[in-house]
Amino acid sequence: MALDNREWALVIWLAIVLIGVLRSAHLRQASWAFLKAMSQRSIVSVLALLLAYIALIILGLWHLGWWEIANLKTTLIWAFGSACVAVFNVQKVEDEANFLRRAMGEVIGIAVVADFLTAIDTFPLWVEFLIAGGGFVLASLSAVSAREPSQRLVHRGANALLIALGLLMLGKSIYHICVDFNDFAKMQTLQEFVLPIVLGLLLLPFLFLLNAYLVAESVLVAFKHESKAPKLARYASTKLLRHLGLDMPAWRQWQRHAGRFAPLSFSEVEASVLEVKKTRHRQKNPHRVRPVMGWLPEDAMGFLSGQGLKTRPYYRADDREWLAASGMMDLGTGILPNNVAYYISGDAFIVKELRLKLNVNRPEEQEDATGHFGLLCHELLKKALPFACAQHQPFELEVGQVTIFGHHSVRMNLFEWFGGIKGGYDLTFVICLPRDDCATD
């Protein structure tokens, strides 16, 4: 349970930082503001629930003989490190699959193994002190330089040095294991390695329920504010829980649906919830018969998922049209970088148009952005119309040109901005059924 040299080095640095904060009036004010923000009732309540849940886990493991007082240090480091980070990141997940994938990666991923191995053996205290300080400086340089294209060399150098420091610490531990394997291969060592993984797995139900509560609260608060009808919001909460259960992406879909088609009565609320329930059932059990023309929504949504452009759920925009869109993916750096997004549209069962749009917000970086955009266009064409690539058609589209592949048309549109960013423009690559010769921008 004693602190090793690396932990003592961190304690010393924290003490130095604390002294610096106490000596500076500006830092004291900033720290006080941070503490006030962290002392909000919602944050304190969540952290209190987390600590109570962890205490119950520890009590259960102790009762089973899988935890003892010698594991207290590892438990505290995990609780105030990984567990707190997981709680504050819990709302960043989009759906259950991503939640489980991300949570499992944090619990038993490569980073967990690397953290454990680097802690097997440490350098002398003065070396660990320099490594901790240097690591903080390099991480700060990397974060600051990532925002400026002119500092790209600094960013790469800082990242390279951070990797070198990590490899140095990892190499030290691996050397210790090779030299003195008997000291490493103890039951206590295995227990110290397995304990954070077990604690992380047992934390998953808490994270899932916390995410469900936060999503439900935000959905109902937003609906109550928009409808200005507390009774309608309470009725919506019972119907959502009854029909959608803990399918939180479905709650988000209902929130977007209610924002577009505001239900004004109890019957309209129930009808909207049932429509979302039906849509979610179709999304989870998609039709297996592919259309002769167009694409299944479930297929089209994932055409560019490998490139980071998977769309959000397919939804009804009006009585006839259904839509879905990905988030904006940055293709550069800066405050307003070049970016690209992917859109699909059609009816409830068939996607009839695929649209990939590049926004050139930084004309000085347009060469890299348009090169990346061309690769994405080729990938989309390959996924959407594989027969077009099988015919070895050259992928070279001039702006405004329309090319027909079978029953589908492909075109590239250019729109130059006027009165906005000087030299800014957007490029839109469209694949669609030739009805109306593709919708124009």
Side-chain angles (χ1 to χ4, degrees), residues 116-117 120 173-174 176-193:
F116 171 76
L117 290 177
I120 292 297
S173 294
I174 292 176
H176 174 79
I177 293 172
C178 295
V179 171
D180 193 1
F181 183 77
N182 291 332
D183 181 62
F184 169 75
K186 294 179 179 178
M187 183 58 67
Q188 184 179 0
T189 305
L190 178 62
Q191 190 177 16
E192 289 290 298
F193 173 68

Side-chain angles (χ1 to χ4, degrees), residues 296-315:
L296 290 175
E298 292 72 24
D299 292 340
M301 289 167 59
F303 278 160
L304 294 177
S305 59
Q307 287 68 39
L309 288 171
K310 181 177 175 62
T311 73
R312 299 183 182 92
Y314 198 55
Y315 66 90

